[in-house]
Amino acid sequence: MKIATRPGWLSGGWTGILASALLCHLYSRGGAGWLFGFVALVPWLRTLDVQRSISHALLSGWAMSIAYTAAAFTWFGSAIGNYTQLGTAAGMSMLLVLAPLFQPQLLMFALVRHIVGRRHGVVLRALAGAAAWVATEWLVPRLLGDTFGYGLYPSRLLRQAAEVGGVAGLTFVLLLANEALAVAAQRWKQGVRALSVPLAIAALLPLLLAGYGLAALSAQSAQPVASERLRIGLVQSNIVDYERLRREKGAGAVVREVLDTHYAMSYDAVERQHADAVMWSETVYPTTFGHPKSEAGAELDREILQIVNAAGVPFVFGTYDRDAAGEYNAAAFVEPGTGLLGFYRKARPFPLSEYVPAWLDGAMLRRWLPWAGTWRPGTGARVFPLRLKDGREVPVLPMICLDDVDAGLGIDGARLGAQAILTLSNDSWFPPHGARLHLAAAAFRSIETRLPQFRVTTNGYSAVIDATGTVIADTNMGERTLVIGEVPVRQAPRTLMVAWGDWVGRAAMTFLMLLAVAAVLRRWWPAQAGPLPAAGATLLPPHVVVLPVEARFATGLLRTFARASLLGMVAAVAFGEALLLPNTLAHIRIFVALFLAPEVAAWFVLRAFRARIAIEHGSLVLTRGRQRLELTVEHIAAVEPWRAPIPAPGAWLRLRSGERWPYGIALADHHALARALHAAGAAALHEAPPSRASLYATARAAIRRGRLDEPLAKFVLLPLALAIPAFRLHQHIAYGSGLGELYTFGLLAYLKAFALWWAAWAIGVALCAAVLRTIIEAGTIGTVLLRPAASIELRRWLERFGLAALYLGVPVWLLIRLVAP
């Protein structure tokens, strides 16, 4: 007996994942390994191509996240183990368990690629997968800010394109190149013609990067020689593990050793190397400078000021700052004669080791993680004047450690007029490979902004980086040395990254949203109703609403008030009333009181009068619970549609006696009711002459409403999709990061703020929908009056216009607001 099996994740899945992991390891090692970036993911992509289900695709993405983390980030697992004193094995195990959270873009890539690939060709699949990768990295806060494109740093030519799309743009190009080669591998038995296009694309992409790199380097070299140059001394003391030294020598002796070492090396930088300024590394002065906690601390502060005054040049060094909210990892700017100019506070403190969000902090966590930090995050980029001995003033952007993986901080600094970046870091807890990758990440900030950079670390790698990202002076790991670097300073050219911000992630997210909307529109697009059922068919809706005159009047009044209030709010906005500010509850209360409350009340009334409808034994039967209404079909003479669809479309029943039945029936298509009654034996039944109201009701009923017209899609999901990027941008502007309010005020405050934004967008969508609905109904009424025969076709196009305007127009407007500098 032969058992047939279909390809699944286990059939060759591990082989492709392990092969890609090996290639990613070689890619991450630097040097000529950057070449592997264009092929590293091909084996895994071939594995994804044979997956038959979403669960298998996600399983493959989960496995690849673990393999990718093990291949490229073993150094980080070792660093975690050393920092927590749990050992390398424990640190690596912790990292691998959390790999799907550490590298979530791999899961989203696998998921989106699989879904799109089932419905579209390889081109759209590749674009959607790459967009999902970079959009996830943009949307989800990353611990190290890493992305696949960082591996291209060793290529001086290819990395220059980062000034256009940042490292995310390089990642996008690398993913497309891998996709092209995966398609070629799939077609390799189909002949040269089938291989030519994917292979040409795979070759063209790196050539385009190289061509742009040549042009960018030529433009840099063609710039006029800068008349001003900045020369800074970087003091790498190689004094690490302060805690161990404190235990061995005592706190006073350690501080004394640190300061004396830096004084001596700074003297050499100023007197012998003629530096314009001096930089010390992150937290080199391990207490609050300018806010002494003791008389001994005040004496040390005065000593540093005396050294700066004697040197006659400005100093920038790592220390602590504090205010009523707490302490900060900071960089102090100290000038001779003036003293302390100010502090830059680190915007991205390392989670747990330096900073614990308020919602997570507590006695239990401190017991479990006694090494957890207590610093607060800063508010974002700041530019300081570096006043030199010769009277010049150079605006500089300080960064501290993990700040340099945030492209947004560099961009903000360039927009504020910085002419150089000063980075302070302490990479002593990183192994050499991790410290080298950190240096590469920092160098990309110079490429994106075209600002030179001075980077000082405690024990390596300190470096001077020019505007092309090239390291022109650096150190080894684990050595005590002084680096003197000199770079030209000028107003940097405005790169596309500076002009548009970190735009690739936003563009990718917008592309995915439009792709999703297009898919939904194809599936749920309102269509003209099909042909009428054959004679004798009795297609009735399962439920209708049976309304006495009083109930119809009450619900009609409620809905009319609610809809009129909504249009009144639209008019208020049109005439300049700011109803939609997301930080105010008053406007939300107005919306609830004037529209939502009466609308919900009307819905409850209609729900209370909802009944099942059927034709049984020659009678029209309406049942609601134990209540039952029956009307003999033979007694019904006509079905008369309501002149106005208030509170909903419906009809009256005219009896053969000439009287009108006292209950109105609310249903979308009164023709269906008339046909069913006629088929059931109402021989004398005749429909009323085609009045304007009847034609209007027919046009409304002829269009089947899709799922995009459902309230859940319109007023819950669409506002949610709009609120997420808008709220994230607000968080970056107001708090310096996507989770800034969470870190500052805790989870409850963060969720409340997001709920307000969501509610505000729901109100905005409701107002837009009200305007569009008014246009649709007015257009239908006008056509019924002027060209009745065209009313159904025009109604169909108006409904399509309304959906397109709501689901495409509003997101496009939001995108323009987000991308606009």
Side-chain angles (χ1 to χ4, degrees):
M1 174 191 267
K2 181 181 290 185
I3 299 176
T5 61
R6 66 179 186 180
W9 179 68
L10 293 176
S11 58
W14 282 112
T15 304
I17 290 171
L18 293 177
S20 282
L22 175 60
L23 293 172
C24 287
H25 174 74
L26 297 174
Y27 173 60
S28 69
R29 302 309 295 179
W34 65 266
L35 291 166
F36 290 106
F38 292 93
V39 300
L41 299 177
V42 173
W44 179 49
L45 295 179
R46 295 293 297 120
T47 297
L48 286 176
D49 289 341
V50 300
Q51 305 311 315
R52 298 294 182 87
S53 67
I54 290 178
S55 61
H56 280 169
L58 284 173
L59 183 61
S60 183
W62 169 80
M64 187 61 197
S65 71
I66 296 174
Y68 180 77
T69 301
F73 294 95
T74 51
W75 61 270
F76 189 53
S78 175
I80 292 174
N82 292 335
Y83 187 87
T84 59
Q85 300 180 357
L86 296 175
T88 299
M92 196 65 208
S93 299
M94 187 185 310
L95 183 62
L96 293 181
V97 169
L98 298 176
L101 299 178
F102 186 58
Q103 301 294 340
Q105 76 280 5
L106 290 162
L107 277 78
M108 291 305 301
F109 172 82
L111 175 64
V112 172
R113 186 181 187 273
H114 179 81
I115 292 174
V116 175
R118 291 192 305 184
R119 296 172 173 82
H120 304 282
V122 294
V123 174
L124 197 57
R125 181 185 70 182
L127 291 172
W133 184 303
V134 297
T136 303
E137 292 182 333
W138 170 75
L139 188 63
V140 179
R142 310 297 308 287
L143 187 62
L144 298 178
D146 57 286
T147 186
F148 198 61
Y150 275 126
L152 287 183
Y153 174 73
S155 173
R156 187 166 183 261
L157 281 181
L158 272 59
R159 72 187 185 215
Q160 302 306 318
E163 73 169 7
V164 176
V167 194
L170 299 181
T171 297
F172 193 85
V173 173
L174 284 170
L175 293 173
L176 293 183
N178 277 271
E179 289 278 13
L181 288 176
V183 172
Q186 183 184 18
R187 298 178 180 177
W188 73 278
K189 291 184 178 180
Q190 300 178 19
V192 175
R193 188 170 184 179
L195 292 174
S196 58
V197 173
L199 288 179
I201 293 174
L204 180 62
L205 291 173
L207 289 177
L208 287 175
L209 292 180
Y212 184 87
L214 282 172
L217 291 174
S218 298
Q220 286 291 315
S221 61
Q223 288 187 354
V225 178
S227 59
E228 296 186 359
R229 302 182 71 82
L230 180 61
R231 184 179 178 87
I232 294 182
L234 311 178
V235 177
Q236 181 174 301
S237 67
N238 199 36
I239 302 176
V240 298
D241 199 352
Y242 281 13
E243 291 301 321
R244 179 181 59 81
L245 293 175
R246 282 193 184 101
R247 291 193 300 269
E248 295 175 356
K249 302 179 180 181
V254 173
V255 173
R256 186 74 272 157
E257 179 184 353
V258 169
L259 292 180
D260 288 346
T261 301
H262 283 79
Y263 293 159
M265 298 178 73
S266 300
Y267 177 85
D268 185 39
V270 175
E271 296 299 326
R272 295 190 178 93
Q273 304 297 333
H274 308 293
D276 295 323
V278 174
M279 290 176 60
W280 298 350
S281 63
E282 178 188 12
T283 61
V284 66
Y285 185 58
T287 186
T288 51
F289 181 79
H291 307 285
K293 299 178 179 179
S294 65
E295 182 54 37
E299 180 59 32
L300 292 174
D301 287 1
R302 289 191 290 269
E303 186 177 304
I304 291 176
L305 293 175
Q306 291 171 3
I307 291 295
V308 174
N309 289 333
V313 301
F315 277 51
V316 181
F317 59 89
T319 182
Y320 306 169
D321 185 23
R322 68 175 179 178
D323 59 16
E327 290 192 358
Y328 303 83
N329 186 345
F333 281 72
V334 182
E335 295 181 346
T338 304
L340 179 63
L341 177 64
F343 291 100
Y344 165 72
R345 295 170 173 176
K346 185 176 181 179
R348 289 190 55 159
F350 208 90
L352 297 182
S353 66
E354 293 183 329
Y355 163 70
V356 178
W359 62 270
L360 182 62
D361 205 353
M364 181 176 295
L365 182 131
R366 295 290 170 180
R367 284 196 302 270
W368 289 352
L369 307 176
W371 40 263
T374 58
W375 280 327
R376 310 288 298 170
T379 56
R382 292 188 64 186
V383 171
F384 286 81
L386 199 63
R387 300 188 178 104
L388 309 183
K389 182 186 291 186
D390 59 9
R392 291 182 295 141
E393 186 174 292
V394 180
V396 295
L397 168 68
M399 290 185 174
I400 300 176
C401 193
L402 205 60
D403 288 344
D404 59 21
V405 304
D406 188 343
L409 288 175
I411 291 167
D412 291 343
R415 290 173 175 174
L416 291 172
Q419 295 182 6
I421 300 173
L422 306 185
T423 302
L424 293 71
S425 189
N426 179 4
D427 295 347
S428 61
W429 63 295
F430 284 177
H433 180 56
R436 181 62 70 180
L437 290 177
H438 193 186
L439 172 61
F444 271 105
R445 304 295 82 81
S446 290
I447 301 172
E448 292 161 354
T449 61
R450 294 305 182 190
L451 296 176
Q453 183 175 171
F454 295 91
R455 185 174 188 271
V456 62
T457 66
T458 304
N459 67 326
Y461 297 97
S462 300
V464 180
I465 305 168
D466 69 12
T468 68
T470 301
V471 175
I472 59 178
D474 64 348
T475 67
N476 293 319
M477 196 78 176
E479 69 172 345
R480 178 174 296 178
T481 186
L482 174 67
V483 179
I484 301 294
E486 183 173 299
V487 296
V489 289
R490 59 167 70 90
Q491 186 65 41
R494 190 173 177 85
T495 66
L496 193 65
M497 279 289 286
V498 174
W500 288 9
D502 196 4
W503 62 273
V504 172
R506 293 196 297 269
M509 178 60 71
T510 303
F511 172 74
L512 292 177
M513 290 174 61
L514 294 177
L515 195 64
V517 168
V520 171
L521 286 177
R522 280 194 300 272
R523 184 175 179 181
W524 295 342
W525 192 263
Q528 186 171 347
L532 294 176
T538 58
L539 294 180
L540 282 174
H543 295 88
V544 295
V545 178
V546 183
L547 291 173
V549 175
E550 299 81 1
R552 186 190 175 200
F553 177 79
T555 51
L557 185 63
L558 286 170
R559 279 205 162 167
T560 301
F561 177 81
R563 307 297 169 86
S565 298
L566 205 59
L567 292 178
M569 295 179 202
V570 172
V573 172
F575 287 102
E577 293 291 337
L579 286 174
L580 299 179
L581 291 178
N583 61 342
T584 176
L585 288 171
H587 301 143
I588 296 176
R589 293 191 186 103
I590 292 174
F591 178 81
V592 170
L594 297 184
F595 169 73
L596 195 58
E599 185 71 22
V600 171
W603 182 87
F604 274 114
V605 173
L606 293 175
R607 187 75 180 180
F609 286 92
R610 190 167 180 257
R612 295 184 61 86
I613 184 171
I615 297 179
E616 301 174 358
H617 308 297
S619 295
L620 177 65
V621 180
L622 300 162
T623 57
R624 177 166 56 89
R626 295 182 178 180
Q627 296 180 341
R628 181 181 177 96
L629 290 175
E630 291 189 21
L631 180 63
T632 304
V633 169
E634 292 182 352
H635 292 169
I636 302 173
V639 177
E640 300 174 348
W642 291 342
R643 293 185 178 182
I646 298 174
W652 299 109
L653 297 180
R654 181 69 63 179
L655 304 180
R656 293 177 65 181
S657 63
E659 298 178 354
R660 190 173 66 186
W661 198 46
Y663 299 99
I665 300 177
L667 76 171
D669 187 2
H670 70 280
H671 293 289
L673 177 60
R675 289 192 298 269
L677 292 173
H678 186 275
L685 178 73
H686 67 275
E687 294 192 53
S691 64
R692 301 300 185 187
S694 176
L695 291 173
Y696 175 61
T698 301
R700 286 175 58 96
I703 307 301
R704 290 197 300 266
R705 294 293 182 90
R707 295 185 185 179
L708 288 181
D709 281 302
E710 295 180 0
L712 176 65
K714 270 187 179 181
F715 307 121
V716 178
L717 299 182
L718 177 59
L720 175 63
L722 296 170
I724 289 173
F727 181 69
R728 189 175 187 276
L729 178 63
H730 160 73
Q731 290 288 305
H732 274 278
I733 294 173
Y735 298 99
S737 73
L739 297 176
E741 192 169 3
L742 174 67
Y743 295 152
T744 305
F745 298 108
L747 180 62
L748 184 59
Y750 183 82
L751 293 177
K752 285 182 178 178
F754 178 73
L756 286 176
W757 276 78
W758 191 359
W761 275 104
I763 295 174
V765 169
L767 296 187
C768 292
V771 173
L772 293 171
R773 180 54 50 191
T774 302
I775 294 173
I776 292 169
E777 300 303 333
T780 304
I781 292 172
T783 308
V784 166
L785 294 175
L786 300 176
R787 294 187 60 191
S791 58
I792 294 178
E793 182 66 17
L794 181 66
R795 174 79 181 200
R796 182 161 62 91
W797 283 106
L798 286 174
E799 291 285 353
R800 290 181 174 180
F801 161 76
L803 288 179
L806 190 67
Y807 284 93
L808 296 179
V810 176
V812 168
W813 172 83
L814 176 61
L815 174 64
I816 293 173
R817 294 292 301 271
L818 291 177
V819 173

